[in-house]
Amino acid sequence: MFKRRYIHAVLIVLLAFLGVAQAQQAAPAQPKPRRFLMWKATSPTATVYLVGSIHLGDSSMYPLPGEVESAFAAAKALVVEINIKKADQAKMAGLIEKYGLYTGDDSLTKHLPRETQATLDDYCTRHNVPRQGMEQLKPWVVAITIAAMAWQQAGEEPSLGIDMHFLDEVKPPQRIDELETMESQLSIFAQASEEEQQNMLAAILKQGDRTKDLIKRTQAAYVSGDPDAVKKIMDEQDDVGSKSLEKKLLDDRNVTMTGKMEEYLKGKDPIFVVVGAAHIVGDKGIAQMLRDKGYKVEQVTLEAK
């Protein structure tokens, strides 16, 4: 059975994958005037704030700018990918067992190229991870589990992620809306082809011991508030090892999310949306797709400090 002590960490890293949160280059210096990864989308009747999130963090990211906190306080609803505060770990374990385990005499080794097998064996030896315990897991589960352990070892705190920060701040009568479900997110990986899963695992293993450095660079890029830097990182990264899987994780979901943002913009309530930063930036990001639909979307500029 999938080890339940990894379930919470796997959920957080799953969100990180879905938001493509890791980076592979140093971030530029903070631009002036100061910015934050927050956009204001407006219609004749409503305002929707779009905040790009990273799902794990540390105390150096806080406090957030006053303009961001004020926009949140005025919102009638906080919109997130999934509400991780109410995530049922037992249910998630069941979903992983449903979608991510081999049955009968099938096993991981039968589905990995020799080179990936050797790299995985080496990783397990160096990190004192029982290799045989992974034999029942499909490649996508192994990849996310390894990433989860690496993020934990790097000292990153899910409680300090941007989405968790705002989930903790919600006060009645504010409500929490979810754009997706745990099962819909897991199904993206579960439905990935064998080649996509193999490439994903190979990419995570290749990243190896650089994870801590990559996380810190991601945070630096995030704090800079420069969407071009975030987009460049996103374009150059190799987190999932597959363009086809990346399309499913980002582009396809961006279309669905944009449709939901348009529903909010046709309403009357002020809305505060927090999703993975990579979903918002770029030509296929939510901000640009809303512009293409005729909405006014501007990145929020902060007061000079």
Side-chain angles (χ1 to χ4, degrees):
M1 179 178 289
F2 188 78
K3 293 185 178 180
R4 292 178 185 269
R5 66 192 176 93
Y6 292 137
I7 292 295
H8 186 250
V10 168
L11 175 59
I12 298 299
V13 174
L14 174 66
L15 283 171
F17 272 107
L18 290 162
V20 191
Q22 294 177 352
Q24 294 193 9
Q25 67 173 58
Q30 181 166 302
K32 296 181 179 180
R34 292 177 65 244
R35 293 184 287 178
F36 188 77
L37 291 182
M38 181 170 78
W39 287 257
K40 181 180 181 180
T42 55
S43 71
T45 61
T47 297
V48 173
Y49 285 96
L50 304 168
V51 172
S53 174
I54 52 177
H55 300 294
L56 298 95
D58 62 30
S59 59
S60 68
M61 295 162 48
Y62 299 93
L64 298 181
E67 295 92 333
V68 179
E69 295 286 8
S70 294
F72 168 74
K76 292 291 184 67
L78 169 65
V79 181
V80 292
E81 294 172 45
I82 61 173
N83 183 353
I84 55 178
K85 289 191 71 173
K86 73 171 189 179
D88 185 331
Q89 294 191 19
K91 180 179 179 181
M92 185 176 178
L95 290 172
I96 292 177
E97 289 167 10
K98 176 181 178 181
Y99 293 125
L101 300 188
Y102 291 114
T103 58
D105 62 354
D106 206 357
S107 64
L108 178 67
T109 298
K110 296 178 181 179
H111 296 267
L112 293 183
R114 289 185 180 275
E115 182 179 354
T116 305
Q117 290 182 40
T119 307
L120 178 60
D121 291 345
D122 177 66
Y123 172 89
C124 290
T125 298
R126 289 186 294 105
H127 293 272
N128 196 30
V129 175
R131 171 66 178 84
Q132 188 59 34
M134 294 184 173
E135 275 301 291
Q136 195 181 2
L137 308 181
K138 292 183 179 180
W140 72 268
V141 181
V142 177
I144 292 177
T145 303
I146 288 174
M149 291 188 291
W151 283 55
Q152 284 188 322
Q153 291 166 2
E156 294 301 299
E157 291 290 340
S159 62
L160 292 174
I162 299 297
D163 39 2
M164 184 64 81
H165 169 78
F166 287 110
L167 284 167
D168 285 339
E169 286 197 343
V170 169
K171 297 177 181 178
Q174 283 180 320
R175 69 179 192 273
I176 300 173
D177 291 351
E178 296 178 279
L179 295 171
E180 299 171 315
T181 66
M182 194 161 46
E183 186 161 10
S184 71
Q185 291 194 342
L186 282 172
S187 69
I188 297 173
F189 296 101
Q191 295 170 9
S193 68
E194 185 159 290
E195 181 180 6
E196 288 172 335
Q197 292 188 45
Q198 291 170 348
N199 291 340
M200 178 182 176
L201 176 56
I204 291 299
L205 290 168
K206 181 179 179 181
Q207 192 178 95
D209 296 328
R210 296 183 298 126
T211 299
K212 184 174 181 179
D213 180 57
L214 297 179
I215 293 170
K216 296 304 180 185
R217 291 179 180 179
T218 300
Q219 291 175 352
Y222 184 83
V223 171
S224 78
D226 187 345
D228 294 331
V230 173
K231 180 62 170 63
K232 187 173 182 180
I233 288 170
M234 183 177 70
D235 288 343
E236 294 184 7
Q237 69 185 339
D238 190 31
D239 285 338
V240 296
S242 167
K243 291 295 183 183
S244 59
L245 183 54
E246 181 180 326
K247 179 179 180 296
K248 298 171 189 175
L249 294 172
L250 281 177
D251 297 347
D252 293 350
R253 292 168 64 228
N254 289 353
V255 172
T256 303
M257 290 182 185
T258 300
K260 186 62 177 179
M261 298 307 106
E262 193 166 19
E263 290 181 22
Y264 288 126
L265 286 164
K266 290 178 179 178
K268 297 181 179 180
D269 292 340
I271 303 294
F272 193 87
V273 180
V274 181
V275 296
H279 289 298
I280 301 177
V281 302
D283 293 339
K284 296 181 180 180
I286 296 171
Q288 185 58 51
M289 285 196 285
L290 286 175
R291 292 188 189 104
D292 293 341
K293 291 176 178 290
Y295 296 100
K296 181 179 180 181
V297 183
E298 298 178 313
Q299 188 177 7
V300 174
T301 300
L302 309 178
E303 293 182 5
K305 297 290 184 180

